[in-house]
Amino acid sequence: MRRRLAALLLAATASCSDPAPAPPGPAATLEPVSAQDLRFAAGPEAVATLAVRVRDARGRPVPGVTVRWSSESVGLEPSETLTDAMGEARATWRLGEQVTGALPRRAEAIVTTAAGPRVIGFSARIDAGPVVIATVLRADTLPRRTGLVLEVGQRARFTTFGRDAFGNAVQDAQAAWSTADPSRATVEATTGVVTGVAQGAVRVLAAIPTASPVANATILVVDRLRAREVAVGESWSCALEPAATIACWGARFSGAFAPSDSVIAPPRVAPTLRFDVLAGGAAFACGLDVGGGAAWCWSARDTGVVPPTPAVPVRALAGGNALVSLAVGDAHVCASTAAGAVRCATLRPDVARDTLVAGAAREVALPARALHVTASDSIGCAATGAAALCWTVAADGVGTPTPLAGAGSPVRVEASPTRLCVLDVGGTARCAARSAAGIGEWTSPWTEPTARIAVGTAITCGITRDARLLCVAIGAGGGGLLQRRDFDPPVDRLDAISPDGSGWRAVAVSDAQYIVAAGSAQATPHACGVTGAGRTYCWGANTRGQLGVPNAETCGTRPSIPCAPTPLPVPSARD
């Protein structure tokens, strides 16, 4: 009897227990199981497993739910998976070896619910691996090539740019810095800050433990050329030094033959002579000796001789200690006297002897005293304060001076083959196009009061009375010279403060222009200036070393290469 009652009691207890668990409801939520923010080093092992869990409205895992996977990049597989008994779904994300950019890559897991899609996001950042090869660059915003020029006493931070074994870029890797010659430049071992010590080329080295060979770059330390005046031609430049000597560079002088990893001091022309005035044309430069006794001229055209032969000045005009100013055209030189008279003589190259032959001096029949004289191609011009007049110069004599209509009452006049500019006593600058058809309309290139002006075929530059340098492009031809690294298309006006902060006191512009033919640039302009502190800088084309620094960024080899917009220091001269 007792056994029977126990069996009945056990059956009653079983009949009162809970029923079997009900299956989970439809998908309602999606949650991450694996980490959402991932970070890897570049390499084949950069693989991640992404996992999510689907739950119903009561928080129970839901199996058999389709989870869709998507990524902004390839490498996420499969595109769909079903959740398992634990409600989990997984996908493999192969991130690869290449770093595509600074932003992290992103992936998503998506589940559709009655309330709409539920999304879980994942991100992965891939870091470049150890640097295996690197180079040295300047850390500021200067273009790479021009940034490798450093002045004596100047400090600049250098950095590294390298790549890992997979080709990923790595900037500013930690390095131990040194220089090959501390007598020319020193560097702070941990920061890469280089200080120029003495003129010359020097290697800056950055030792990165994982990189081979040692990263390095040759920088050019320049002791700035001091000058009073500058003159430029097709692919050369000259400066009148404070000691009354003249140094020239580019074309036949030095820069065209200089190795790219060297500093070549510009040679002095006729170092035994002393000059008061310097002027230049396309292929010739001239200097007026101290006291105005004579105008001496020499060829600046590249002779193709390596090493170059020294330029030999010839006496082109005798002055009787009366000459005070000088101007040079394509094949002639003109000078004015203290009394305001002007005389001109032709210049002809003697190729066999690599020198010049000067023609007879011819007086110009001006109606008034010349205050300033200029020259270009086959003309000479003078400003008298009442008018600007121009005349032709040829082997058989000089033409009759012709007033420039609309020029006003200038005290200074400048000319190029395609342009004329004048300055009046109030500092107003006006320019007009010049062609065989005549003189165009006179317009002001800028409104600022101007102290002096220089005009080329492609650009016009002036120095304002507050010592700023202004340059404007003439048509499309001068855009290259005015181009700045951070402007595209090129700017059409340059308003430059001098690199040493002392203002500008002299500027010269070449007559070359930016001519594109058959996909290549045939010629490009350059310019040089002297700061208020007497330091010489050049910028623009550097096709023949006319900027004074051989490894500076150049233009002129093809239209896509801009001119160097950064004024570069010219090395100090030598006898």
Side-chain angles (χ1 to χ4, degrees):
M1 185 73 175
R2 290 181 178 176
R3 291 181 178 177
R4 187 169 184 144
L5 288 174
L8 291 174
L9 182 59
L10 181 61
T13 302
S15 65
C16 294
S17 64
D18 291 335
T29 63
L30 183 65
E31 63 187 31
V33 174
S34 62
Q36 291 179 268
D37 297 318
L38 308 171
R39 191 155 192 163
F40 297 90
E45 70 277 6
V47 179
T49 298
L50 308 184
V52 293
R53 181 180 293 113
V54 179
R55 295 183 184 272
D56 65 9
R58 297 178 59 184
R60 295 174 297 182
V62 183
V65 178
T66 298
V67 177
R68 292 181 288 115
W69 300 91
S70 68
S71 172
E72 60 189 15
S73 60
V74 297
L76 183 60
E77 296 176 341
S79 59
E80 292 184 354
T81 53
L82 294 177
T83 55
D84 59 17
M86 299 298 295
E88 295 180 5
R90 288 173 172 78
T92 300
W93 198 8
R94 302 184 185 279
L95 299 166
E97 302 171 349
Q98 296 293 323
V99 177
T100 57
L103 295 177
R105 302 181 191 183
R106 301 189 183 281
E108 291 181 337
I110 306 170
V111 166
T112 301
T113 70
R118 295 291 184 263
V119 179
I120 293 294
F122 298 88
S123 68
R125 186 182 295 275
I126 306 176
D127 298 325
V131 177
V132 296
I133 189 169
T135 187
V136 170
L137 303 174
R138 190 157 163 178
D140 56 22
T141 58
L142 288 174
R144 174 179 174 181
R145 299 289 290 177
T146 57
L148 298 180
V149 180
L150 199 65
E151 299 181 37
V152 170
Q154 184 181 7
R155 289 166 53 86
R157 193 176 82 83
F158 284 73
T159 185
T160 59
F161 177 84
R163 294 191 180 277
D164 67 6
F166 310 106
N168 299 308
V170 182
Q171 294 185 354
D172 209 12
Q174 186 172 4
W177 292 88
S178 63
T179 65
D181 186 352
S183 69
R184 290 186 172 173
T186 60
V187 61
E188 296 176 5
T190 57
T191 64
V193 175
V194 178
T195 302
V197 176
Q199 181 163 294
V202 60
R203 280 197 309 148
V204 175
L205 303 99
I208 302 172
T210 56
S212 180
V214 173
N216 70 91
T218 298
I219 67 169
L220 306 184
V221 181
V222 173
D223 191 3
R224 295 156 296 206
L225 176 68
R226 302 282 176 164
R228 291 153 46 190
E229 285 288 344
V230 284
V232 300
E234 286 178 348
S235 56
W236 57 269
S237 310
C238 291
L240 175 61
E241 298 178 279
T245 50
I246 291 176
C248 296
W249 58 96
R252 67 171 295 157
F253 300 107
S254 61
F257 308 97
S260 62
D261 59 350
S262 64
V263 175
I264 303 297
R268 293 188 174 96
V269 177
T272 58
L273 292 175
R274 294 296 178 264
F275 299 93
D276 268 340
V277 178
L278 169 67
F284 307 114
C286 298
L288 184 61
D289 64 17
V290 172
W296 298 81
C297 297
W298 55 94
S299 173
R301 195 179 297 277
D302 190 352
T303 62
V305 177
V306 181
T309 56
V312 179
V314 299
R315 189 192 301 263
L317 287 171
N321 299 324
L323 301 180
V324 294
S325 70
L326 203 58
V328 184
D330 281 359
H332 66 278
V333 58
C334 295
S336 64
T337 69
V342 175
R343 63 190 67 160
C344 299
T346 57
L347 298 171
R348 177 175 58 84
D350 184 337
V351 178
R353 295 189 297 171
D354 189 20
T355 186
L356 297 179
V357 176
R362 310 280 184 166
E363 296 289 332
V364 181
L366 289 172
R369 175 178 178 269
L371 302 178
H372 180 257
V373 63
T374 191
S376 179
D377 53 276
S378 60
I379 67 167
C381 299
T384 66
L389 307 96
C390 293
W391 59 90
T392 58
V393 181
D396 58 356
V398 297
T400 302
T402 302
L404 301 179
S409 303
V411 295
R412 192 177 182 96
V413 59
E414 298 290 352
S416 80
T418 60
R419 202 156 179 84
L420 290 161
C421 292
V422 294
L423 278 179
D424 64 21
V425 69
T428 299
R430 294 188 303 143
C431 298
R434 171 188 164 226
S435 67
I439 305 301
E441 180 183 359
W442 293 91
T443 58
S444 295
W446 48 73
T447 59
E448 292 87 339
T450 306
R452 57 187 302 172
I453 196 166
V455 57
T457 301
I459 66 169
T460 297
C461 291
I463 298 175
T464 65
R465 290 187 170 178
D466 60 357
R468 293 190 352 257
L469 174 68
L470 302 178
C471 292
V472 295
I474 301 172
L481 181 55
L482 299 184
Q483 184 171 7
R484 297 188 184 192
R485 189 168 184 249
D486 52 350
F487 285 95
D488 185 19
V491 294
D492 59 4
R493 169 173 161 143
L494 181 67
D495 189 341
I497 305 299
S498 63
D500 61 10
S502 65
W504 297 91
R505 70 183 186 191
V507 64
V509 179
S510 72
D511 280 342
Q513 59 181 329
Y514 198 76
I515 304 172
V516 178
S520 64
Q522 302 300 310
T524 44
H526 77 287
C528 294
V530 180
T531 69
R535 295 164 178 160
T536 309
Y537 294 86
C538 294
W539 62 97
N542 198 38
T543 51
R544 303 297 289 165
Q546 58 265 45
L547 300 189
V549 182
N551 81 336
E553 186 174 79
T554 65
C555 60
T557 55
R558 61 181 186 270
S560 61
I561 299 180
C563 296
T566 305
L568 298 175
V570 178
S572 57
R574 59 178 172 83
D575 288 337

